[in-house]
Amino acid sequence: MKTIVSLVLLTLAFVSPEANAEQQTKEAKRIIALAPHIVENLFQIGAGDRVIGTTDHSDYPEAAKSIPRIGNYARLNIEDILAADPDLIIAWKTGNPTDDLERLAKFGIRIVYSDPHSPEDVAGEFRRFGELTGLEQQAEQQAIGYLAKLNKIKQQYQDKPWVSAFYELWPRPLTSIAANAWPQHLINICRANNPFVQSKTDYPQINLEQVVLKNPQLIIQPRSSARSITDEINWKQWSDIPAVKNNAFIHPDENQLHRMTSRALNELTLLCQQIDEIRERHYKQAGL
C-alpha cells in the first residue's frame, strides 16, 4: 500500500502545466466531496455515483452512506485521498482543515470550493456542480425548481410583522447566530427578529443574562437524533421571558435545516409555519 501511495505522490508532484490545464476543463468523473451538503447536492443533479470519497456525517441520500470515508471536519486522510486517484476535490471553504487542503493542492489535484451562505447560493451550487460534471441541464432544472420554491416561501411571509426570536444553536456553551450565518438568513425569511443579529461574529457565544434581558417572544432550539435534549437550557427557570411564559418553543430538525441543500426548504416551510402560529398568538394576546 505504501509503495502505491508513494508512486501516486511522485506522479502528482510532477504534473505538467499542460496536463493541469486539461484537468481544469474536463468533466469530473472521480470526485472527493468533503462535506455532507456537497455530497447531497451532487446526488441532486445526478452526479452521486461519481463521488468516490467523503467525510463523516454524509448520510443523505441513502446511497451516500456507502461512500468511503476519508476524513472529517478536523482532519483528512491524505494517503487515502491520493490512493483514490480523484480528478476533482470539492472542499467546503469554512468546514475543512486548510492545512490538509494546501498539502493536496501541491500534488496537482484540482480543488474547487463550496462556499454557500444564503439560501440563494444553493442554486448557484447546483449550477457550478453541473459545469464541473457536464450535467448542466440537470443542474439548471434543479436550480430553477429550488429558487421557485424558495421565492414562494419568501412571498408568503414577506409582509408578516416581525416576532422576536432567540436561536439556541448550541446550549453549552450557549451559542446563537448572527450576521451572515446560514440559519440567520433562514429565520429572516420567516420574519423572526434575532436580538443578537448585530453580534461581531456569525456564531456568537451568549450568556443567559443577555437572553433574559432581550425578552424574546419565542426560542428556537434545533435538534437532531445525535444531540441529547438533556444538554438543553432549562428555560423554565426564567418564567418572566415571554417565550417561556407562553411555552413558545420550536424544535426544527437541524440535520435538514442546517445543511445547504434543497431539503433545508422543507424544514424552513415548517419552521415558518410554526413561527407564524406563535406570532399570531402573541399579537392576539396583545390585542393587535
Side-chain angles (χ1 to χ4, degrees), residues 25-150:
T25 57
K26 71 178 183 179
E27 296 177 4
K29 300 293 186 182
R30 298 177 59 79
I31 303 171
I32 297 286
L34 296 180
H37 76 273
I38 298 173
V39 172
E40 190 168 332
N41 288 336
L42 284 168
F43 271 95
Q44 185 89 26
I45 67 166
D49 59 348
R50 305 188 192 187
V51 182
I52 58 172
T54 187
T55 53
D56 292 348
H57 308 299
S58 296
D59 56 5
Y60 191 89
E62 187 67 25
K65 295 179 180 179
S66 62
I67 299 172
R69 269 46 181 169
I70 47 72
N72 53 43
Y73 75 93
R75 189 57 53 205
L76 302 176
N77 190 319
I78 303 297
E79 287 196 358
D80 284 355
I81 292 174
L82 295 176
D85 190 26
D87 53 27
L88 175 67
I89 293 174
I90 305 180
W92 186 8
K93 191 74 172 180
T94 57
N96 293 139
T98 55
D99 56 338
D100 284 345
L101 291 172
E102 288 170 357
R103 288 178 61 195
L104 287 166
K106 291 179 180 179
F107 293 113
I109 304 175
R110 186 183 184 190
I111 301 176
V112 298
Y113 289 91
S114 167
D115 191 29
H117 292 285
S118 71
E120 289 80 5
D121 290 342
V122 174
E125 293 270 293
F126 289 148
R127 289 169 172 145
R128 175 62 170 149
F129 293 173
E131 293 172 357
L132 292 168
T133 57
L135 298 172
E136 290 94 343
Q137 184 175 349
Q138 297 93 316
E140 184 62 23
Q141 290 174 350
Q142 294 300 325
I144 291 172
Y146 172 88
L147 289 174
K149 186 173 182 178
L150 175 61

Side-chain angles (χ1 to χ4, degrees), residues 202-219:
D202 288 345
Y203 298 96
Q205 291 187 9
I206 307 295
N207 63 56
L208 288 168
E209 291 74 16
Q210 288 176 286
V211 180
V212 173
L213 290 172
K214 294 296 184 180
N215 276 324
Q217 294 159 353
L218 71 95
I219 294 175

Side-chain angles (χ1 to χ4, degrees), residues 15 22 67 69 83 182 200:
V15 174
E22 180 182 354
I67 299 172
R69 269 46 181 169
W182 168 264
K200 293 181 179 179

Side-chain angles (χ1 to χ4, degrees), residues 169-211:
L169 182 71
W170 195 255
R172 305 180 192 282
L174 185 57
T175 306
S176 189
I177 59 173
N180 202 37
W182 168 264
Q184 179 63 51
H185 289 285
L186 299 179
I187 67 171
N188 282 345
I189 293 172
C190 302
R191 304 284 282 184
N193 184 26
N194 173 13
F196 299 104
V197 69
Q198 298 300 329
S199 299
K200 293 181 179 179
T201 63
D202 288 345
Y203 298 96
Q205 291 187 9
I206 307 295
N207 63 56
L208 288 168
E209 291 74 16
Q210 288 176 286
V211 180

